[in-house]
């Protein structure tokens, strides 16, 4: 067996489809977000200035002085690593405080930290199915890969319902007896389209058919609600959600993930989920930074208001110049391209000719034929930044419409 040839063949397939990804070597500038240096030559380490337009650090909290100060202080007090898994030596006071802060954010009795929201979803969803045999999962068809993995690893029955389609969800719920254990699994903000789920109506169906609700608020925590609790907080339905999944790596600007729910639920996941039991816990400095970020955003609305205004402004400006922006009610600003090679050519041209960094969004993140660029404005993107982006995209689109496939030539010039 020629193992290396098999690996090469797999990569060649990705290249041929036009979705081979090259990571941009960036050094973000502290205090100058969204500016960064793009390093083209790793040997020299020297770069040229670019503007980042695709970060999930939605509010720029990774640069917030309150967060940085908390992380520096934690390093000075307790050092770098956590010392192991939470079960052995990896629980610090920062972890305990952070879980209490998260539980309060979502108005739940308890919360449980993980190294990422992906791990939290996979661990929680797979473990719940094993703890409650016979559970049927009702999963929105556009759910994140982490939720799909957790559902798959749980090994139970599942029903996939059409995206945000309440009638289809109810028709599937009706197929099972009321006493069958059920979980409706969905997201609040769908990060590639910008759709927002009808949470209250989904909760109505959960009540009617005896189901638990599992809500992924990853792209909403910090960004929505009077304290940053997400769409469920904004819509006043937090008390109707049984389990919340969230991240510390996007709106809160640091790293890590969590679930929040009943004390019994969190204790059961803590005691049974391999993804929690056997994973080294977050570094204390990371926990301290996340703690500071959550506390700040609970009492400051300035970042959220500016963020929403920037998203609205960018969508309107793109539409004005005829760039095919996908309208939606959230802060996500997707621009449809529809072909992986064209999509990469667009982003290559933006980086090479205009100093604008955006990553192409290709399969498997989105279905084939719906490739896009995904713009994420922040409170720190100025009118000048938006002007530069609009000018660049307008020039590209009007000189070489995507349908003609001319972007590939343009990017290479």
């Amino acid at each position: 067996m020629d193992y290396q040839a098999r690996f090469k063949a797999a990569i060649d397939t990705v290249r041929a489809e036009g979705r081979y990804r090259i990571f941009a070597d960036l050094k973000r500038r502290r205090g100058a977000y969204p500016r960064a240096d793009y390093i083209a030559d790793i040997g020299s380490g020297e770069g040229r200035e670019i503007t980042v337009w695709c970060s999930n650090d939605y509010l720029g909290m990774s640069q917030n002085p309150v967060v940085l100060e908390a992380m520096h202080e934690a390093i000075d007090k307790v050092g770098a690593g956590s010392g192991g898994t939470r079960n052995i030596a990896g629980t610090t006071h920062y972890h305990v405080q952070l879980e209490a802060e998260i539980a309060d954010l979502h108005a739940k009795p308890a919360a449980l930290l993980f190294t990422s929201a992906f791990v939290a979803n996979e661990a929680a969803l797979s473990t719940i199915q094993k703890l409650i045999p016979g559970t049927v999962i009702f999963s929105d068809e556009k759910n994140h890969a982490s939720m799909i993995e957790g559902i798959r690893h749980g090994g139970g029955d599942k029903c996939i319902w059409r995206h945000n389609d309440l009638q289809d969800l109810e028709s599937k719920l009706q197929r099972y007896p009321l006493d069958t254990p059920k979980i409706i699994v969905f997201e609040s903000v769908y990060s590639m389209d910008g759709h927002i789920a009808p949470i209250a109506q989904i909760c109505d169906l959960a009540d009617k058919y005896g189901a638990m609700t599992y809500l992924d608020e990853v792209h909403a925590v910090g960004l929505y609600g009077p304290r940053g609790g997400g769409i469920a907080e904004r819509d006043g339905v937090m008390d109707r959600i049984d389990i919340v999944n969230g991240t510390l790596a996007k709106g809160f600007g640091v790293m890590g993930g969590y679930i929040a729910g009943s004390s019994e639920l969190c204790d059961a996941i803590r005691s049974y989920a391999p993804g929690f039991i056997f994973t080294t816990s977050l570094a204390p400095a990371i926990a301290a930074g996340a703690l500071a970020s959550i506390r700040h955003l609970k009492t400051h609305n300035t970042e959220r208001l500016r963020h929403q205004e920037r998203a609205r402004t960018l969508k309107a400006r793109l539409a004005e110049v005829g760039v095919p922006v996908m309208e939606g009610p959230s802060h996500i600003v997707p621009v449809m391209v529809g072909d992986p090679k064209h999509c990469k050519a667009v982003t290559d041209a933006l980086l090479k000719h205009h100093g604008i960094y955006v990553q192409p969004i290709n399969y498997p993140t989105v279905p084939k034929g719906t490739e896009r660029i995904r713009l994420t404005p922040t409170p720190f993107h100025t009118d000048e930044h938006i002007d530069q982006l609009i000018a660049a995209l307008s020039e590209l689109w009007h000189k070489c419409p995507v349908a003609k496939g001319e972007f590939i030539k343009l990017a290479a010039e």
Side-chain angles (χ1 to χ4, degrees), residues 292-308:
S293 184
I294 293 173
R295 285 176 173 172
H296 175 86
L297 289 173
K298 279 182 176 179
T299 57
H300 293 77
N301 207 30
T302 305
E303 292 90 349
R304 280 189 285 275
L305 293 175
R306 171 72 171 173
H307 180 234
Q308 290 295 320

Side-chain angles (χ1 to χ4, degrees), residues 339-386:
D339 178 272
K341 293 180 180 179
H342 295 168
C343 196
K344 187 175 186 308
V346 171
T347 58
D348 286 349
L350 286 171
L351 183 61
K352 183 175 182 180
H353 300 299
H354 301 280
I356 293 170
Y357 173 59
V358 184
Q359 275 286 1
I361 305 295
N362 294 331
Y363 177 84
T365 306
V366 295
K368 291 180 179 179
T370 68
E371 292 81 7
R372 67 201 66 178
I373 61 175
R374 176 181 173 273
L375 302 169
T376 53
T378 74
F380 301 98
H381 282 92
T382 64
D383 288 340
E384 181 183 0
H385 292 142
I386 293 178

